[in-house]
Amino acid sequence: MNQEERRQFLIQYLLEEEPQYKKIRIPSSSGEQKQLLRGLMNVRMPQEISEDFLRVQDDYLTETVKEKGVVELSELVPVQEGIYLWQGDITRLAADAIVNAANSGMTGCYQPNHNCIDNCIHTFGGVQMRLACAEIMERQGYEEPTGQAKITKAYNLPCQYVLHTVGPIIRGKVTKREEELLASCYRSCLELAAEYELSSVAFCCISTGVFCFPNERAAEIAVETVKKYRAETGNNMEVVFNVFKDMDKEIYEKLLR
């Protein structure tokens, strides 16, 4: 199969999986097909799926990652010893682990084609990731507390693992407790990465964006927490601060340089 054939197979499979989709027709343009496939993956509940689907999906996503371009840590220049700043799509990074800014349900973003990092990571990781997260949450028996972290395989992403953490949601002036919870997100991810003996982790800007944590203060907490962890533990794990917006890049450059 080529990419177009794989994409159409996956769309048709997901449409046939749910009776309410029987009137949906596969669009002719590749752009609309990509949107439809992503949307169908986004709204699909965590459940088992056939090996045939997974084989085709994995081939499709592997090729998609190649098309986007994988970024190795060896291509980056450290701004401080063991610390990097990189602007771009975190799903392209081949770190040992990348960090996902999750919600308390921990099973990803269900809004079709939403541009949040949670949506992107689950989309390009594949449907296995949502199921893995759901199984973790079922065993846990309650929603994920703010400031903690869980780990899953990365499946079709170029990294090895994804660290899922729930940051604080800000509804007014930031409190001391909310600052502590954000710091706990970074610390929890670092501790979990160390437990799995990972050598590198890439952090997104946890709790900024729709969670409304002020970008500059969030960056200060991120840098402070990472440096404190490295100093206290002597762990030489490489850390990438991944940013997407120019504003965040400028903030981190000021803090790190």
Side-chain angles (χ1 to χ4, degrees):
M1 285 187 181
N2 60 31
Q3 278 296 79
E4 183 178 357
E5 291 168 337
R6 293 181 186 116
R7 185 167 57 246
Q8 291 181 3
F9 171 89
L10 297 173
I11 292 172
Q12 190 62 49
Y13 189 104
L14 293 175
L15 289 176
E16 292 176 358
E17 191 178 44
E18 294 292 339
Q20 67 264 35
Y21 299 153
K22 63 182 179 181
K23 293 184 179 179
I24 297 177
R25 297 291 174 261
I26 300 176
S28 57
S29 78
S30 61
E32 290 177 314
Q33 287 178 12
K34 290 175 183 178
Q35 290 277 308
L36 178 56
L37 176 57
R38 179 169 179 169
L40 289 168
M41 292 172 69
N42 293 158
V43 300
R44 186 179 186 272
M45 298 302 291
Q47 56 188 311
E48 296 286 351
I49 202 163
S50 75
E51 289 298 322
D52 286 341
F53 179 92
L54 292 177
R55 184 175 62 255
V56 176
Q57 176 211 242
D58 292 354
D59 288 344
Y60 178 78
L61 292 176
T62 297
E63 188 61 32
T64 299
V65 167
K66 288 180 182 177
E67 291 170 359
K68 292 199 300 180
V70 174
V71 178
E72 302 285 347
L73 255 63
S74 58
E75 300 173 41
L76 307 184
V77 178
V79 290
Q80 294 184 14
E81 185 178 355
I83 296 179
Y84 302 79
L85 174 62
W86 183 72
Q87 183 178 26
D89 177 358
I90 200 170
T91 64
R92 295 174 57 205
L93 274 176
D96 280 1
I98 63 172
V99 173
N100 177 29
N103 57 52
S104 59
M106 293 290 277
T107 56
C109 169
Y110 287 82
Q111 184 175 333
N113 295 286
H114 194 241
N115 64 357
C116 70
I117 192 169
D118 198 13
N119 188 296
C120 292
I121 286 174
H122 276 270
T123 294
F124 297 108
V127 298
Q128 305 99 306
M129 188 178 294
R130 175 166 283 171
L131 180 57
C133 289
E135 289 171 346
I136 290 171
M137 297 311 291
E138 184 177 1
R139 290 194 298 270
Q140 179 164 285
Y142 53 87
E143 290 191 337
E144 183 72 356
T146 302
Q148 296 185 16
K150 294 290 188 291
I151 190 169
T152 66
K153 292 191 292 186
Y155 299 98
N156 295 290
L157 295 170
C159 55
Q160 297 180 42
Y161 295 95
V162 176
L163 299 161
H164 306 263
T165 189
V166 182
I169 300 173
I170 307 303
R171 298 183 177 89
K173 186 177 179 181
V174 179
T175 66
K176 181 67 173 177
R177 177 58 179 158
E178 287 163 339
E179 291 184 338
E180 291 169 349
L181 287 170
L182 181 58
S184 179
C185 288
Y186 286 91
R187 184 89 186 194
S188 296
C189 287
L190 290 166
E191 290 173 347
L192 193 51
E195 183 181 330
Y196 276 73
E197 300 182 343
L198 306 185
S199 61
S200 59
V201 59
F203 283 102
C204 62
C205 299
I206 303 167
S207 270
T208 59
V210 296
F211 278 24
C212 297
F213 208 109
N215 296 60
E216 189 161 1
R217 183 61 187 133
E220 290 171 353
I221 291 169
V223 172
E224 289 167 4
T225 305
V226 166
K227 287 187 174 182
K228 184 178 180 181
Y229 174 83
R230 288 165 62 87
E232 289 178 348
T233 64
N235 190 309
N236 59 0
M237 184 191 314
E238 294 184 300
V239 172
V240 181
F241 290 111
N242 166 251
V243 299
F244 194 75
K245 298 177 181 178
D246 291 339
M247 173 183 66
D248 289 315
K249 183 183 179 185
E250 292 171 4
I251 292 169
Y252 274 92
E253 282 180 335
K254 184 173 68 174
L255 291 170
L256 293 169
R257 297 186 189 279

